[in-house]
Amino acid sequence: MTDILSLFFSIPLSHTPFSIVVNKHKPWIETSYHGVITENMDIVLLDPPLVALDKDAPVPYAGEICAFKIHGLEAPFEAVVLNGTSGEGQLRARGPVDCELQKEYTFIIQAHDCGAGPGGTGGKKSHKAVVHIQVNDVNEFSPVFREAQYHAAVTEEKIYDNILQVEATDQDCSPQYSQICNYQITTSNTPFAIDRNGNIRNTEKLSFDKQQQYEVLVTAFDCGQKRSTESVAVHIDVKPVCKPGWQGWNKRVDYEPGTGSKQLFPKMHLETCGGPLSSVRTMVELQTSHIGKGCDRETYSEKSLQKLCGASSGSTDLLPAPSVSTNWTASLVTDSGRDSDLIFRFDGRHAAKIPDQMVPQNLTDQFTIATWMKHGPTPGLRAEKETLLCNSDKTEMNRHHYSLYVHNCRLVFLLRRDFTQVDTFRPAEFHWKLEQICDKEWHYYVINVEFPVVTLYVDGVTYDPYLVTDDWPIHPSQIDVQLTLGACWQGGEVTMPRFTQYFRGSLSGLTIRPGKIESQKVISCLQACKEGLDINSLESLGKGIKFHFNPAQSILVMEGEDLENMNAALRKVSYINSRQFPTPGIRHLHISTSVQCFGEDTCISIPDIDAVVMVLQPSEPRITIAGVDRLTRPAADLRGPAGLTLFQDLHIISTVTKGDTASHHTATEVEEIIHNLDYCDILVLGEELRPEQESLQLQRSTLLGKHLDTTNSTSGMSIYGVDSMSNYEQVIRQVHYHNWHPTQTPDRKFRLTCSELNGRYTSNEFTLEISVLHKSEAGEHVNQMVAPPQYMQVVHHPAMVHSLYPTHGSVPSAATVVIVICIAALVVVVVLGIYRIHLTHQQECRSSDTTKEGELDWNDSALNITVNPMEVRGRGGLKTKPWRRNKGRKEGECCRNQILEQP
């Protein structure tokens, strides 16, 4: 029996009939746990405690707990079994836990029983439970101040509630240890206090005379009473009693030409003396009325500017520079010293008549009148008309066909149509009342006529007439009309024809363009200023900043509510001058500011400030024209269909000299620059061209794609327009000289000069000489290759010319070089022989006192030797005539001329 029982118990339970009920229950744990662990510790305190129960107890293995397993690899924890029978377990950290890195953890845990036997086979696991772990902080970090040091400024004799605020931070993770609960001033005997938020105030009024700066040390404590390891220094400056106004600006700002935009007030700020402001409004004004025509503009001629701006062709300049062909402006008074600006000043006593051939014709339904005008009120003469432009009857009657005049500071344009054009009551007078007409400043006026509509542009802004009066058309007559400037011509109804209605002011660039009106784009281009105010990086302006420029960008208005944003905005204001060669000199700046305060009737007053922009003198360019200055060509080249290309090898360069005065010895550096030209003149020197047999010609196709045009006459050719030096080179190289009868024309000389900025900078005078080779005298235009003694001149026979001097551009052959050397040696031998003869007959020359009539007279010119290479070795060789003394010579004076003849 005992053996049977022992055999039964030795059989594994899994093979017994009762093994199916040995481990039939799963372990049981709570559904969730909450735990706390202190950082840098390893034991987690769980609530409830970690205990697993199994209903299979007390069956060995099946009723015991063998393990707790955690699901979630990122969780730095592990669970261990303390007692398998009771199911007690413990949660531990696998390594140090840092609250500053992670404050909480969440993961899944399960309990596993020991199964049916020691091998754990048939083991069961509990349901999944959620574990929440919170990491408790340890006060391991000290407070640290955000700034290394603090600065503030106060005004004397004032008590401040808050001078500045210091701030410290703590890296601990819990509110208890990471928050700063207290600040403390550690410097003793200071008139300052600090609150729990770090705000520093003064406890008594400070005196600038007593102490101008304080240094205060401040420490911080967190809520765990841990003190900062280092105190921070607070520097407080004491300023004298504040005066509101702009500070940190320079009275003079130097502007170097070509440097683009330059900040005017890089360090400026508005001192408000602590007064709370609700808004600030600042106006910056650049005053340039004394520069040119109101500001720095391009000073090219009117024609060049119109070409540059794309204006319609066909305009007539009624105020050109005085010249032979435009002499009607010679009697007018010019305003000199305006940097090549052509300005005419009218004083009420001067006027000009426009020649009939220059008067624009066909002023029908469309035309444009444009002018620069500077005008102010004239005391005691407000009732008189002041005429800029007038077209009136030359004799007999006093009818005004059209005119432009100022009357009582109103601009009036009169246009009386002919009866043949219209026979009804139509608009005739157009009136504009504008402040610009009498403000004594330069303005650009353009009148576009599209009859019956007339539009006025002033500085690019459109103005419609406030008054239009109608009138009957003028009846036709055979009376000639007279166009005048600066006054109106009264040729009839008076005893003596005279000027009336004189203009008092300044004019420039008065033009009429018949048949077309000018576009807004062209008008804006013609009057555009090249200097003005600017703002660097508009996109970086602070929020709430409003700004506005006037059309000329000479006035800038800024408004804002935040003072710091306004200060930053004003620092971005700059001056810019886009001209390559700006007008040097002073530009005045005026800054005015108004402020508003919160709910106060009185507010601080900000004084105006005045400064200057000094535009420095630009480096003056030196324009140099270089090329072949003498051309010798056969007559056939001038008669050919292409003519003679005058300046085929022309080069135009410009250089500036820059000095370096840093050292005791001034060093200069020549640098080549690129800029535009506005005209080049080819002038005929000597007798003018004979149009029936010679001319200068240029293909119009050469000007395509360029801002250039030409005028041509018997005195030369002018190429004008604002364009690059390279384009001018290309055009000038295509100028041809034609001569259909070169044998009847003497040698020609042409002078070429170029200009930039209407003559402000001019080039050297490049002279080109044209010599014509005729068949009978070709040798006369060839340079000598061998120089004889000073008193002798060698003239080669015409047959030698081609051998000695090949055609331009060809390379001489070896045979030619040998011939030249042989002839030169022969000439030297002949010269030496002549010299010996001269010595032998010197006495005979002194004794000779008469000369046959008809012989050549003695002179001191060099000896002429004519050598025919074809007959040098002919019979008899060279013979000479006897030496003779010229008539009227003193005794003993020697003859020095001799004529060599061939037998």
Side-chain angles (χ1 to χ4, degrees):
M1 186 67 181
T2 302
D3 295 337
I4 295 173
L5 289 174
S6 61
L7 178 64
F8 175 79
F9 285 109
S10 65
I11 299 173
L13 293 178
S14 59
H15 297 292
T16 64
F18 307 100
S19 63
I20 191 171
V21 295
V22 170
N23 189 16
K24 64 179 180 178
H25 296 289
K26 296 187 296 184
W28 178 90
I29 58 176
E30 299 287 346
T31 58
S32 64
Y33 295 88
H34 294 273
V36 175
I37 184 173
T38 302
E39 62 178 345
N40 301 325
M41 303 293 287
D42 59 348
I43 304 300
V44 179
L45 301 179
L46 285 177
D47 182 26
L50 182 60
V51 176
L53 302 176
D54 196 319
K55 290 183 178 182
D56 291 323
V59 177
Y61 298 108
E64 297 176 352
I65 303 301
C66 280
F68 293 96
K69 291 188 178 180
I70 294 175
H71 300 280
L73 298 177
E74 69 280 359
F77 297 97
E78 61 181 1
V80 296
V81 178
L82 298 180
N83 189 325
T85 303
S86 62
E88 294 181 53
Q90 189 179 60
L91 196 61
R92 299 175 181 174
R94 293 199 302 266
V97 179
D98 193 345
C99 176
E100 284 73 41
L101 295 179
Q102 189 166 344
K103 296 180 180 181
E104 295 181 348
Y105 295 90
T106 300
F107 50 87
I108 303 298
I109 192 171
Q110 282 183 308
H112 294 254
D113 61 18
C114 296
T121 58
K124 293 182 181 295
K125 55 186 178 181
S126 69
H127 62 270
K128 294 179 180 179
V130 179
V131 181
H132 296 281
I133 304 297
Q134 179 180 345
V135 181
N136 281 349
D137 188 23
V138 174
N139 194 3
E140 57 184 331
F141 292 101
S142 300
V144 177
F145 287 95
R146 290 188 179 274
E147 303 291 340
Q149 56 183 351
Y150 291 85
H151 293 271
V154 296
T155 303
E156 62 177 347
E157 303 300 328
K158 291 183 65 175
I159 295 293
Y160 291 85
D161 293 332
N162 181 17
I163 297 175
L164 82 160
Q165 183 182 24
V166 297
E167 184 180 3
T169 60
D170 195 306
Q171 296 183 14
D172 288 309
C173 67
S174 63
Q176 179 182 3
Y177 300 136
S178 63
Q179 292 183 357
I180 307 300
C181 285
N182 194 21
Y183 292 92
Q184 181 180 335
I185 295 177
T186 60
T187 304
S188 59
N189 299 324
T190 59
F192 301 99
I194 190 169
D195 61 16
R196 297 182 62 182
N197 296 321
N199 297 308
I200 298 177
R201 60 183 177 85
N202 59 321
T203 57
E204 61 184 51
K205 293 181 180 181
L206 306 178
S207 172
F208 178 80
D209 296 331
K210 180 180 178 181
Q211 189 168 343
Q212 300 177 7
Q213 188 182 62
Y214 291 86
E215 182 178 354
V216 179
L217 296 179
V218 178
T219 189
F221 296 86
D222 62 20
C223 294
Q225 293 305 305
K226 194 175 186 68
R227 180 176 176 170
S228 60
T229 56
E230 294 183 0
S231 299
V232 69
V234 180
H235 300 276
I236 300 175
D237 296 326
V238 181
K239 294 184 177 181
V241 176
C242 179
K243 296 180 181 179
W246 291 103
Q247 296 182 3
W249 56 278
N250 295 324
K251 190 170 181 62
R252 167 171 166 163
V253 179
D254 287 341
Y255 181 80
E256 182 75 26
T259 56
S261 180
K262 181 170 184 177
Q263 285 180 273
L264 297 174
F265 319 109
K267 298 181 180 179
M268 189 169 76
H269 66 277
L270 181 61
E271 177 59 67
T272 62
C273 300
L277 304 180
S278 60
S279 66
V280 180
R281 184 180 187 272
T282 300
M283 182 173 70
V284 183
E285 182 180 2
L286 178 68
Q287 299 172 352
T288 60
S289 59
H290 61 292
I291 302 295
K293 296 191 287 287
C295 67
D296 211 359
R297 294 182 169 93
E298 296 294 5
T299 55
Y300 295 115
S301 66
E302 197 64 28
K303 280 188 176 181
S304 296
L305 278 176
Q306 290 176 359
K307 190 77 174 177
L308 181 65
C309 291
S312 303
S313 59
S315 65
T316 301
D317 187 1
L318 300 181
L319 280 175
S323 66
V324 176
S325 58
T326 58
N327 57 2
W328 67 88
T329 59
S331 61
L332 300 179
V333 179
T334 57
D335 194 352
S336 59
R338 289 290 185 175
D339 192 24
S340 300
D341 259 346
L342 187 59
I343 295 173
F344 294 89
R345 184 161 50 86
F346 295 85
D347 55 4
R349 297 189 299 270
H350 294 82
K353 293 182 180 180
I354 307 298
D356 292 341
Q357 67 272 16
M358 298 301 298
V359 175
Q361 303 298 322
N362 302 322
L363 294 187
T364 55
D365 290 342
Q366 282 191 343
F367 60 93
T368 298
I369 299 177
T371 186
W372 286 95
M373 181 177 75
K374 180 180 179 181
H375 179 264
T378 305
L381 298 175
R382 288 182 59 85
E384 293 188 11
K385 295 181 179 180
E386 298 180 56
T387 302
L388 286 75
L389 179 69
C390 181
N391 191 26
S392 59
D393 290 333
K394 187 176 291 188
T395 57
E396 300 183 26
M397 304 181 71
N398 189 30
R399 299 175 302 175
H400 294 185
H401 297 259
Y402 63 86
S403 66
L404 180 63
Y405 61 90
V406 176
H407 188 211
N408 290 334
C409 288
R410 291 166 173 82
L411 186 66
V412 183
F413 177 61
L414 169 69
L415 179 62
R416 299 282 304 278
R417 311 303 299 276
D418 291 340
F419 193 84
T420 56
Q421 295 175 321
V422 62
D423 59 355
T424 59
F425 210 53
R426 299 298 297 271
E429 275 191 346
F430 304 84
H431 300 249
W432 294 271
K433 183 179 180 181
L434 304 172
E435 294 180 358
Q436 296 92 321
I437 297 172
C438 283
D439 66 356
K440 296 183 179 180
E441 301 290 344
W442 279 104
H443 300 285
Y444 188 55
Y445 298 82
V446 178
I447 296 177
N448 272 350
V449 178
E450 286 184 291
F451 196 81
V453 177
V454 177
T455 305
L456 172 68
Y457 292 85
V458 181
D459 298 331
V461 180
T462 307
Y463 296 92
D464 294 324
Y466 80 95
L467 175 64
V468 178
T469 58
D470 297 342
D471 203 347
W472 289 102
I474 294 178
H475 289 278
S477 67
Q478 300 300 320
I479 302 175
D480 294 332
V481 293
Q482 178 65 61
L483 183 62
T484 55
L485 293 171
C488 203
W489 180 252
Q490 187 173 0
E493 302 177 358
V494 291
T495 306
M496 181 68 68
R498 57 187 174 88
F499 284 112
T500 60
Q501 302 174 5
Y502 282 96
F503 177 70
R504 293 170 176 83
S506 298
L507 297 176
S508 179
L510 178 54
T511 61
I512 297 181
R513 179 177 288 102
K516 294 181 180 179
I517 61 171
E518 214 54 271
S519 66
Q520 174 84 43
K521 180 180 179 181
V522 171
I523 293 172
S524 299
C525 175
L526 290 172
Q527 61 89 36
C529 283
K530 296 299 181 180
E531 66 177 339
L533 300 173
D534 193 19
I535 298 178
N536 288 339
S537 61
L538 286 172
E539 63 279 358
S540 64
L541 282 181
K543 294 182 179 180
I545 300 296
K546 300 177 182 179
F547 66 92
H548 172 71
F549 284 103
N550 68 334
Q553 286 195 219
S554 60
I555 297 177
L556 169 62
V557 178
M558 280 189 168
E559 296 182 70
E561 297 179 355
D562 185 82
L563 181 58
E564 288 305 316
N565 286 343
M566 276 294 294
N567 286 336
L570 262 295
R571 294 187 195 110
K572 297 180 183 296
V573 177
S574 59
Y575 169 81
I576 187 170
N577 194 318
S578 60
R579 294 188 68 191
Q580 189 173 7
F581 306 107
T583 303
I586 288 177
R587 276 73 163 164
H588 293 277
L589 285 169
H590 183 77
I591 298 94
S592 57
T593 304
S594 60
V595 297
Q596 292 184 355
C597 299
F598 291 100
E600 297 183 10
D601 295 335
T602 60
C603 197
I604 60 175
S605 176
I606 307 298
D608 294 352
I609 62 175
D610 292 288
V612 296
V613 177
M614 175 61 74
V615 179
L616 303 180
Q617 179 75 37
S619 299
E620 295 194 0
R622 180 179 180 182
I623 306 171
T624 303
I625 303 175
V628 177
D629 58 359
R630 181 182 178 90
L631 294 177
T632 303
R633 291 292 185 272
D637 289 358
L638 279 66
R639 289 193 297 263
L644 176 62
T645 303
L646 294 180
F647 305 100
Q648 189 171 4
D649 299 320
L650 178 78
H651 293 283
I652 304 175
I653 62 171
S654 183
T655 57
V656 292
T657 302
K658 296 185 177 181
D660 182 10
T661 58
S663 59
H664 296 289
H665 302 285
T666 302
T668 58
E669 178 184 355
V670 178
E671 178 182 340
E672 185 173 346
I673 62 171
I674 297 176
H675 58 77
N676 291 329
L677 300 175
D678 59 350
Y679 71 79
C680 286
D681 289 339
I682 303 173
L683 180 65
V684 179
L685 299 182
E687 183 183 355
E688 292 189 357
L689 298 178
R690 302 172 185 176
E692 68 279 359
Q693 70 180 48
E694 55 181 339
S695 68
L696 292 175
Q697 296 183 10
L698 179 66
Q699 295 290 335
R700 296 296 299 179
S701 59
T702 308
L703 304 177
L704 293 178
K706 302 177 179 66
H707 298 288
L708 298 177
D709 208 340
T710 62
T711 58
N712 199 354
S713 67
T714 58
S715 59
M717 176 182 290
S718 179
I719 304 169
Y720 63 91
V722 182
D723 214 327
S724 64
M725 291 186 291
S726 61
N727 280 349
Y728 265 93
E729 278 186 358
Q730 294 174 19
V731 172
I732 296 174
R733 288 172 183 172
Q734 300 302 317
V735 175
H736 295 265
Y737 170 60
H738 290 257
N739 193 326
W740 295 274
H741 303 287
T743 57
Q744 303 176 10
T745 307
D747 294 346
R748 279 294 183 190
K749 288 185 179 181
F750 299 94
R751 177 180 295 163
L752 173 63
T753 56
C754 293
S755 155
E756 164 67 335
L757 296 176
N758 201 21
R760 178 177 172 185
Y761 305 115
T762 56
S763 70
N764 61 310
E765 294 182 347
F766 179 77
T767 303
L768 173 66
E769 184 175 354
I770 305 297
S771 298
V772 182
L773 290 177
H774 304 292
K775 291 183 179 179
S776 60
E777 52 186 20
E780 298 179 3
H781 303 278
V782 182
N783 292 331
Q784 300 177 7
M785 295 191 64
V786 179
Q790 183 178 0
Y791 56 87
M792 300 176 63
Q793 178 182 359
V794 179
V795 180
H796 296 283
H797 193 276
M800 296 172 54
V801 172
H802 184 74
S803 298
L804 290 174
Y805 296 91
T807 305
H808 177 71
S810 62
V811 180
S813 63
T816 303
V817 174
V818 172
I819 294 174
V820 170
I821 295 174
C822 293
I823 294 175
L826 179 61
V827 169
V828 172
V829 172
V830 171
V831 169
L832 291 176
I834 294 172
Y835 185 68
R836 290 190 62 183
I837 296 174
H838 168 69
L839 294 178
T840 305
H841 293 79
Q842 190 172 19
Q843 184 63 35
E844 179 183 347
C845 289
R846 292 195 183 99
S847 60
S848 180
D849 56 353
T850 60
T851 304
K852 294 181 181 179
E853 193 166 342
E855 292 287 340
L856 291 177
D857 289 339
W858 162 257
N859 57 48
D860 290 332
S861 63
L863 176 64
N864 291 329
I865 304 175
T866 303
V867 180
N868 188 340
M870 303 303 295
E871 299 182 4
V872 169
R873 299 184 179 273
R875 64 183 185 275
L878 297 175
K879 294 185 179 181
T880 63
K881 285 188 176 181
W883 291 96
R884 300 187 183 275
R885 189 179 58 162
N886 287 346
K887 298 178 180 179
R889 293 292 179 182
K890 295 180 181 179
E891 289 295 330
E893 189 174 23
C894 181
C895 296
R896 298 178 183 176
N897 272 5
Q898 52 182 317
I899 301 175
L900 303 182
E901 293 184 347
Q902 301 174 13

